[in-house]
Amino acid sequence: MKIIKFGGSSIANPDSIKQVFSIIQDKLKRQEIAVIFSAFGGVTETLLTIAKMAREGDQVYRDLLQTLEEKHLDMVRQLIAVQNQSTVMTYVKVRFNELEDLFHGIYLIKENSPRTLDYVVSFGERLSAFILSEALTAKGVKSRFLDAREVIRTNDRFGQARVDFEKTNALIRQYFLNYDGVKVITGFIASTEKGETTTLGRSGSDYTAAIFASALEADDLEIWTDVSGVLTSDPNLVYTAFTIPQLSYNEAMELSHFGAKVIFPATMQPAMKRNIPIRIKNTFEPENAGTLINGDVTNGPLIKGISSMSNISIVTVQGAALLDGTAGSRVFKALSEAKVNIVLISQASSEHSICLAIKTSEAYLAKEVIEQEFFYEIKSNEMEEVSLLHGYSTIAVVGENMKQNPGASGRMFRALGRNNINVAAIAQGSSELNISAVIPQPDLQKALNALHEAFFLSENKVLHVFLVGTGLIGKALMRMIEIQQAKLREESELDIQIHGLANSRFMAFHEDGFDLKAGYDLSEKDQKMDMEKFVRQMEEMNFSNSVFVDCTASQEVADAYPRVLGAKVAIVTPNKKANSGTMEQYLELKKLAKKRGVKFLYETNVAAGLPVINTLQDLMLSGDKVIRIEAVLSGSMNFIFSELEKGDPFSEVVKSAKEKGYTEPDPRDDLSGMDVARKILILGREAEQRLEFEDITVQSMVPEDCQSVQSVDDFFEKLKDQDASFAKLLKEAEVKGEKLRFMATLENGKAKVGLNSLPASHPFSNLSGSDNMILLTTERYLDRPMIIRGPGAGADVTAAGVFADVIRIGNYTRE
């Protein structure tokens, strides 16, 4: 014997019902079955809404009732041929006549007691099961409708009645002996000895199925729903959640207690007592194996699932009165009598305080009844007033194998800590079946994803990237990630996914990550770019291990850094605007990153992909002191003055640099020297010198008559007039055996930027192309300065430096 139950989502419409009938007919080929049905999808909620409206005197309830009746009649028309409809139509109309009288009574007396509501909602299952029983008969399946009120006996605790199993089991067995055919049974409802209608509470139809399975000692119980079993976490919050193949009864109950919604503890109890396997299946993917729940404790993964519950409040009871051995029991007795459910308990070892996690909807009641219980102790200051903190969630990692394998709690709290998620309370049962914690509700999604990655995807650390700036550098970065993605997964256990893209005009987001192989071009079909909205969307997606990558030169984007860091999101950027602002702003960003425990990496602020900033930071951390920095920091300017030596006019060399992508779109941004000034400012600050921009003397290479020209084309035309001047400068240097180099120098807290004529023996004289070179003279590198040299301009080398910083964050989060 197999017991099968179908929920409301499985029978929401005629197409779904046809799929259900197909499953039933397939099962009948192999063994005897009995089927339990919930009400049609949405019917129970509608009945309760109508009852509420009638009680409140809202006559619109009649229209809703009429619509509901038509829905059921339409089901009959679509499932049963016209010649077989009369009996079913009559049954439906009689039931709705009864409902009309019932709601009219509620409307008149303005009363909705639990007894009345149980009777109201019973019509949902009675209608669906009868219609479906008749529809099966019409399809040639010998079936018999069974109103479960005939055989399930309960007490009169309306809304959540308790089953009398001795009487119920006897009635069920006798019924199945007396009648053959497929029993089509109403879920959710039962009756008292007096014949009063009761309901079985939350997940009542599942409970009905388990009651029948236990009474008949069924081979197994199948619960068909709209998901493929129990998932490792809430799929609405964790996009990588997957079906758990097998759970023990205890694991399933723990997951259920902490928020898993597929199955509830009461459902399992009757089947558990008989050791009857429970299979959770998907009506719309019947070939999927789903989840098996049984008594086996397998040597599977360390944990089986991560469940969560939102809208939790922390109720704290503390004071000297708790040292009395009876105080704790008084707290729990008061809450029990008020029917307040405790989700989690955490008690200090001093026994001076008890911390309780309680649903926010019950928190004020909990506070009230505890303070009533300890009225005299609070009045005499032996106990403090009960405190309430709102805005929390609970998370729980569950698995029988935690007993045999130490380290689960360490992995859990390490993952939370790495993602800067504060834990307000912790509890672990003596059975070591679960570890649960209370965390701020805004961090719930991030926490679930961090834990899911730590326990189920631990072979790959996932970085969730949000990229602003899809120009030359941004496109090069995406191309590098796409090329290296597979290798990083296999060799470095790092998976980089881009979830947000933006340029100056548009922005787009993808929960599962953009397909970099297919490419993605932002266009009119996407959202208009709004920096505030971009950051807000990133916050709402709330991924663990998120990285904000800024590949722009935008001040507006840089101004968003405090909010990004405040959201506990790391930043990687070649954009110099943030670090070259005021000293106060620079220090504040570093302080905020440290406070939030996230990385703020900007190696590419200076010299593209060259390891300048990291090297300088390491020197300072190790106790070295910078005496002088000399640097050629503009690849474009070095290209221009090294190429000038070949004899081409200055204006042509600048144009060539622009065409090769070495300069900004307007070369005056480079020629002004401001870019180099920002870079030496940043290096000075990294050398622990308090520098402001006004401490830097800057010599601009933009001739005065070229500064006010509007277009870039006009600028190049005007620049031709200066070719002779620059040729003269070059000639004067050559006569002295020197080279022209645009460079920056920092010494004694002052910096200068400009064109220098250097002797042939100077290291900078050998520079060519777009190379940068930095000479670091420190206390340790005094006689022979440290030299860092390499390409300092170009989209590819800059993108490579950004990419290296992103990978560095990945390695950091895995430490």
Side-chain angles (χ1 to χ4, degrees):
M1 165 67 75
K2 182 191 290 288
I3 305 297
I4 306 175
K5 177 262 174 179
F6 291 96
S9 60
S10 297
I11 53 172
N13 56 64
D15 288 338
S16 299
I17 292 168
K18 289 172 185 175
Q19 174 69 16
V20 166
F21 285 175
S22 175
I23 292 169
I24 291 171
Q25 289 172 309
D26 182 63
K27 297 291 181 186
L28 276 171
K29 294 174 185 176
R30 292 188 287 274
Q31 66 187 121
E32 183 184 358
I33 65 170
V35 187
I36 286 85
F37 284 115
S38 296
F40 293 129
V43 169
T44 301
E45 293 79 4
T46 303
L47 287 168
L48 289 170
T49 298
I50 294 171
K52 181 174 181 291
M53 293 173 71
R55 181 179 61 81
E56 293 173 351
D58 186 347
Q59 295 190 32
V60 175
Y61 83 84
R62 295 189 176 96
D63 297 332
L64 274 181
L65 184 61
Q66 181 63 42
T67 301
L68 191 62
E69 180 178 0
E70 187 55 39
K71 175 180 179 176
H72 284 80
L73 292 173
D74 191 53
M75 282 285 195
V76 176
R77 295 185 193 104
Q78 294 194 55
L79 295 173
I80 302 173
V82 175
Q83 60 270 25
N84 299 323
Q85 287 179 7
S86 58
T87 301
V88 193
M89 288 289 195
T90 300
Y91 181 90
V92 171
K93 287 183 177 296
V94 169
R95 298 291 82 76
F96 274 94
N97 287 339
E98 292 174 7
L99 274 172
E100 186 176 2
D101 291 341
L102 178 57
F103 287 131
H104 183 62
I106 293 172
Y107 176 80
L108 292 174
I109 64 174
K110 304 292 187 290
E111 182 271 335
N112 258 347
S113 68
R115 182 198 306 265
T116 301
L117 289 178
D118 272 6
Y119 187 56
V120 165
V121 296
S122 75
F123 282 82
E125 273 71 15
R126 290 155 61 194
L127 285 160
S128 64
F130 186 85
I131 292 170
L132 294 173
S133 173
E134 292 296 313
L136 277 170
T137 299
K139 290 181 69 68
V141 177
K142 186 179 180 181
S143 60
R144 182 178 183 84
F145 168 68
L146 171 57
D147 185 335
R149 295 179 300 174
E150 294 183 35
V151 293
I152 299 180
R153 293 288 174 267
T154 68
N155 63 8
D156 59 1
R157 187 182 175 186
F158 299 100
Q160 196 163 3
R162 292 184 176 275
V163 177
D164 182 333
F165 281 98
E166 184 176 352
K167 293 179 180 177
T168 296
N169 290 345
L171 288 169
I172 290 174
R173 290 169 189 154
Q174 189 60 50
Y175 188 94
F176 272 69
L177 284 173
N178 293 343
Y179 301 100
D180 57 4
V182 177
K183 317 302 185 299
V184 178
I185 307 163
T186 58
F188 187 43
I189 61 175
S191 67
T192 66
E193 284 292 338
K194 298 178 181 178
E196 299 164 305
T197 298
T198 57
T199 58
L200 300 176
R202 190 183 187 192
S203 193
S205 292
D206 291 354
Y207 192 22
T208 301
I211 291 167
F212 275 85
S214 175
L216 299 168
E217 299 184 28
D219 298 318
D220 58 2
L221 164 61
E222 288 183 354
I223 295 177
W224 292 76
T225 180
D226 56 359
V227 294
S228 298
V230 182
L231 273 64
T232 48
S233 195
D234 184 345
N236 295 314
L237 299 174
V238 179
Y239 308 120
T240 53
F242 56 89
T243 300
I244 306 170
Q246 184 272 337
L247 288 168
S248 71
Y249 293 119
N250 288 330
E251 288 169 335
M253 283 197 289
E254 287 293 321
L255 286 171
S256 171
H257 175 73
F258 283 97
K261 298 174 182 176
V262 175
I263 193 165
F264 299 97
T267 297
M268 288 178 281
Q269 289 292 350
M272 186 177 174
K273 288 180 180 178
R274 301 274 188 185
N275 201 27
I276 297 170
I278 304 170
R279 176 81 65 177
I280 311 297
K281 298 272 288 177
N282 189 339
T283 303
F284 310 104
E285 294 180 16
E287 69 285 351
N288 192 304
T291 298
L292 175 65
I293 301 171
N294 58 19
D296 294 339
V297 181
T298 63
N299 292 319
L302 182 63
I303 71 163
K304 293 290 184 68
I306 307 163
S307 61
S308 61
M309 194 180 299
S310 297
N311 300 314
I312 295 294
S313 295
I314 296 176
V315 179
T316 304
V317 186
Q318 59 184 359
L322 286 178
L323 297 174
D324 177 1
T326 64
S329 62
R330 289 171 61 193
V331 170
F332 301 122
K333 182 172 181 277
L335 293 174
S336 175
E337 289 176 349
K339 295 183 174 59
V340 173
N341 180 50
I342 301 172
V343 177
L344 177 149
I345 303 168
S346 181
Q347 185 170 11
S349 58
S350 65
E351 300 182 15
H352 187 260
S353 69
I354 300 174
C355 175
L356 307 171
I358 290 174
K359 291 179 181 178
T360 299
S361 59
E362 299 178 343
Y364 288 102
L365 175 59
K367 173 181 169 68
E368 180 183 340
V369 298
I370 294 172
E371 288 182 344
Q372 286 176 355
E373 176 66 29
F374 292 93
F375 176 80
Y376 293 106
E377 287 85 349
I378 293 172
K379 189 175 181 180
S380 61
N381 294 319
E382 293 180 64
M383 184 180 288
E384 298 176 19
E385 289 188 6
V386 175
S387 72
L388 290 182
L389 292 174
H390 305 300
Y392 287 89
S393 295
T394 59
I395 51 173
V397 296
V398 175
E400 297 263 17
N401 286 324
M402 286 194 289
K403 299 173 188 175
Q404 291 81 30
N405 297 282
S409 59
R411 191 186 298 188
M412 175 180 177
F413 294 113
R414 186 178 183 183
L416 295 176
R418 278 293 182 201
N419 285 279
N420 297 287
I421 297 164
N422 184 52
V423 176
I426 303 166
Q428 181 172 12
S430 58
S431 65
E432 298 183 53
L433 182 59
N434 89 70
I435 307 168
S436 49
V438 181
I439 62 169
Q441 188 154 314
D443 287 333
L444 176 60
Q445 185 170 20
K446 182 182 287 188
L448 288 173
N449 279 278
L451 293 175
H452 200 265
E453 289 174 12
F455 284 103
F456 297 112
L457 306 174
S458 56
E459 68 277 9
N460 282 323
K461 172 62 65 179
V462 182
L463 285 187
H464 305 280
V465 172
F466 294 83
L467 172 63
V468 178
T470 57
L472 292 174
I473 297 171
K475 279 188 168 60
L477 175 63
M478 287 190 283
R479 185 170 62 250
M480 290 176 186
I481 293 173
E482 186 267 314
I483 292 170
Q484 292 294 108
Q485 208 164 37
K487 183 177 181 181
L488 284 171
R489 287 170 183 159
E490 293 173 11
E491 298 182 10
S492 300
E493 299 178 347
L494 188 63
D495 185 7
I496 300 175
Q497 299 287 337
I498 298 180
H499 296 274
L501 287 172
N503 58 25
S504 60
R505 299 176 61 203
F506 306 108
M507 61 183 185
F509 299 90
H510 198 299
E511 289 181 345
D512 298 325
F514 290 97
D515 182 353
L516 297 181
K517 282 187 169 59
Y520 192 89
D521 293 320
L522 293 162
S523 64
E524 298 280 353
K525 69 181 183 299
D526 297 309
Q527 302 176 53
K528 288 186 178 180
M529 175 54 175
D530 183 310
M531 197 61 225
E532 166 74 19
K533 290 180 180 178
F534 186 93
V535 175
R536 185 165 66 245
Q537 179 66 36
M538 180 180 68
E539 290 174 332
E540 289 173 357
M541 292 179 83
N542 204 20
F543 287 112
S544 59
N545 306 321
S546 291
V547 185
F548 178 84
V549 179
D550 172 17
C551 287
T552 75
S554 165
Q555 184 65 54
E556 181 188 6
V557 179
D559 289 342
Y561 289 4
R563 178 169 173 182
V564 173
L565 294 172
K568 303 175 185 176
V569 174
I571 296 177
V572 171
T573 183
N575 186 349
K576 294 175 283 294
K577 295 293 174 65
N579 286 326
S580 60
T582 67
M583 187 71 185
E584 183 182 357
Q585 291 169 335
Y586 165 82
L587 293 174
E588 186 59 34
L589 284 175
K590 302 199 85 167
K591 180 181 177 182
L592 184 55
K594 184 177 180 180
K595 180 180 178 181
R596 289 300 192 182
V598 292
K599 291 293 185 182
F600 174 34
L601 301 183
Y602 43 87
E603 181 63 78
T604 47
N605 272 195
V606 178
L610 296 182
V612 181
I613 290 177
N614 279 333
T615 300
L616 192 51
Q617 288 174 339
D618 289 344
L619 288 174
M620 304 311 294
L621 281 172
S622 66
D624 204 352
K625 183 178 179 181
V626 171
I627 297 171
R628 183 172 58 259
I629 298 176
E630 299 167 274
V632 171
L633 293 172
S634 171
S636 55
M637 295 293 277
N638 192 63
F639 174 84
I640 289 168
F641 284 101
S642 61
E643 286 293 304
L644 193 63
E645 297 167 5
K646 296 178 180 179
D648 291 333
F650 184 73
S651 60
E652 291 300 319
V653 173
V654 174
K655 184 176 287 187
S656 175
K658 179 180 182 296
E659 290 169 352
K660 291 179 182 295
Y662 292 153
T663 73
E664 295 296 327
D666 188 337
R668 283 173 290 186
D669 293 340
D670 299 274
L671 293 170
S672 69
M674 299 304 288
D675 182 62
V676 175
R678 290 190 184 94
K679 292 175 180 176
I680 194 65
L681 175 67
I682 292 168
L683 289 182
R685 289 173 173 176
E686 294 301 317
E688 298 180 359
Q689 299 188 23
R690 294 190 66 87
L691 276 180
E692 297 289 357
F693 206 85
E694 52 265 28
D695 297 323
I696 304 172
T697 303
V698 183
Q699 177 192 6
S700 173
M701 290 291 100
V702 181
E704 284 188 21
D705 61 350
C706 294
Q707 291 176 4
S708 59
V709 176
Q710 293 298 314
S711 73
V712 174
D713 289 340
D714 290 343
F715 160 71
F716 277 118
E717 281 298 316
K718 198 72 175 172
L719 189 62
K720 290 178 182 178
D721 297 340
Q722 304 296 324
D723 286 344
S725 298
F726 282 99
K728 183 182 176 183
L729 287 172
L730 178 64
K731 187 67 176 176
E732 290 172 352
E734 287 175 343
V735 168
K736 293 186 288 185
E738 296 181 345
K739 300 287 183 76
L740 295 178
R741 294 293 179 263
F742 194 84
M743 59 181 284
T745 305
L746 172 69
E747 191 170 12
N748 297 323
K750 296 291 182 180
K752 59 183 179 179
V753 172
L755 190 64
N756 286 260
S757 184
L758 301 175
S761 59
H762 195 286
F764 291 168
S765 295
N766 295 320
L767 280 175
S768 62
S770 63
D771 277 7
N772 281 191
M773 183 181 284
I774 299 93
L775 304 182
L776 298 176
T777 302
T778 72
E779 289 181 346
R780 294 177 189 155
Y781 295 87
L782 187 59
D783 297 327
R784 300 178 65 186
M786 179 186 289
I787 298 177
I788 302 170
R789 175 179 177 171
D796 285 344
V797 292
T798 304
V802 173
F803 194 15
D805 272 351
V806 170
I807 293 171
R808 193 172 290 116
I809 287 178
N811 292 333
Y812 163 76
T813 59
R814 189 169 45 239
E815 289 173 1

